[in-house]
Amino acid sequence: MFPVLGWILIAVVIIVLLIFTSVSRCLSPVSFLQLKFWKIYLEQEQQILKSKATEHATELAKENVKCFFEGSHPKEYNTPSVKEWRQISSLYTFNPKDQYYSLLHKYVNRKEKTHSIRSTEGDTVIPIFGFVDSTGINSTPGL
């Protein structure tokens, strides 16, 4: 009897998740094709960011090692500040008025250079956009 109840519980959970997923996709403010484009954009952005970060880190490390052994001062490298890293690393919220495909996209397109890109009026967290925050860019093992 208990195994049957267990299987019924599993079936109910799967059905509820399927219904939730279907309803959230039907009520999504973006189309299926735009969602596909969004995922492709994020994959490309992450690959390019990883490549540029690796390149920048390598150049900075080379310069620091060179200066250590030569006893000289390093040339200046423009590395984003902690505040800038935090702004592109927080939870993404969707705003139908300003459609950005990532926090990096929102950050580079901000109106004022000192203006924060934190949530503004009209921003909402939509379950269908979970892939924006759940992709590999938020984890460090790949970097």
Side-chain angles (χ1 to χ4, degrees), residues 41-110:
Y41 170 84
L42 280 175
E43 290 170 5
Q44 294 300 312
E45 181 183 87
Q46 290 170 10
Q47 287 176 356
I48 293 168
L49 181 63
K50 181 179 178 181
S51 173
K52 284 290 189 183
T54 301
E55 180 183 312
H56 185 79
T58 302
E59 290 299 317
L60 184 59
K62 284 180 182 178
E63 179 68 17
N64 288 336
V65 170
K66 176 183 150 208
C67 292
F68 174 75
F69 284 107
E70 293 177 359
S72 60
H73 292 288
K75 59 184 176 182
E76 191 172 318
Y77 278 89
N78 187 17
T79 301
S81 69
V82 172
K83 180 181 177 184
E84 291 169 323
W85 284 111
R86 283 188 184 140
Q87 286 188 348
I88 67 166
S89 300
S90 62
L91 179 66
Y92 178 79
T93 53
F94 179 75
N95 189 334
K97 290 187 277 180
D98 300 319
Q99 289 189 15
Y100 296 111
Y101 294 107
S102 70
L103 283 173
L104 181 61
H105 185 210
K106 188 175 184 179
Y107 178 80
V108 298
N109 286 293
R110 67 195 187 283

Side-chain angles (χ1 to χ4, degrees), residues 18-32 34-35 38 94 96 124-129:
L18 181 64
I19 291 171
F20 176 76
T21 302
S22 298
V23 169
S24 65
R25 288 190 178 174
C26 288
L27 298 177
S28 173
V30 297
S31 71
F32 175 74
Q34 186 178 9
L35 200 58
W38 203 329
F94 179 75
T124 54
V125 176
I126 300 175
I128 193 78
F129 301 138

